[in-house]
């Protein structure tokens, strides 16, 4: 999945938690169930940076069954995003997308 992301793109991964309630989903849809440590290591090994685990908030049932992670593909070396109007580097916080995404979940 990381190969098809454009540089600076976000990857959102929703997975089945490796606990007894997650086994229901695993048996019904034949998904793989994982631990948070496994997911984080997979994302880091694939080359993503700024990986974060997202919370489902007060949705307790979802929290027991699922894990949600987000990571960002690094920019290519030597490539800068420029502001088209001034030619200056764009002043954008790299974590803007992550914070917006966190507020949605």
């Amino acid at each position: 999945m990381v190969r098809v992301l454009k540089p600076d793109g976000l990857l959102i991964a929703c997975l089945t938690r490796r606990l007894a309630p997650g086994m229901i989903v695993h048996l019904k849809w034949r998904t793989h169930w994982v631990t948070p440590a496994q997911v984080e290591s997979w994302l880091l090994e694939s080359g993503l940076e700024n990986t974060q685990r997202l919370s489902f908030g007060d949705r307790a049932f979802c929290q027991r069954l699922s894990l949600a992670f987000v990571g960002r593909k690094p920019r290519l070396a030597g490539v800068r995003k420029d502001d088209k109007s001034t030619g200056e580097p764009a002043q954008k916080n790299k974590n803007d997308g992550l914070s917006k995404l966190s507020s949605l979940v």
Side-chain angles (χ1 to χ4, degrees):
M1 285 186 269
V2 174
R3 283 188 312 155
V4 299
L5 278 178
K6 65 181 181 178
D8 210 29
L10 286 176
L11 174 77
I12 303 166
C14 298
L15 303 128
T16 306
R17 182 186 287 271
R18 188 176 195 96
L19 293 174
M23 190 167 69
I24 298 165
V25 175
H26 168 70
L27 292 173
K28 183 169 174 88
W29 289 291
R30 295 291 184 209
T31 60
H32 293 283
W33 40 329
V34 295
T35 63
Q38 285 175 305
V39 178
E40 193 157 8
S41 71
W42 290 346
L43 295 177
L44 292 173
E45 287 171 10
S46 68
L48 295 175
E49 51 188 32
N50 297 336
T51 60
Q52 295 179 11
R53 181 174 170 191
L54 301 176
S55 172
F56 288 99
D58 59 354
R59 297 174 186 100
F61 188 68
C62 289
Q63 192 82 326
R64 281 186 251 145
L65 292 177
S66 304
L67 295 168
F69 279 82
V70 65
R72 183 178 298 279
K73 183 174 182 176
R75 288 189 202 160
L76 297 174
V79 176
R80 292 178 23 190
K81 287 185 177 180
D82 291 333
D83 184 359
K84 293 179 179 162
S85 62
T86 64
E88 295 291 320
Q91 298 296 320
K92 181 180 175 186
N93 183 357
K94 267 188 103 166
N95 293 325
D96 278 350
L98 296 177
S99 62
K100 288 179 188 174
L101 186 64
S102 297
S103 66
L104 294 175
V105 177

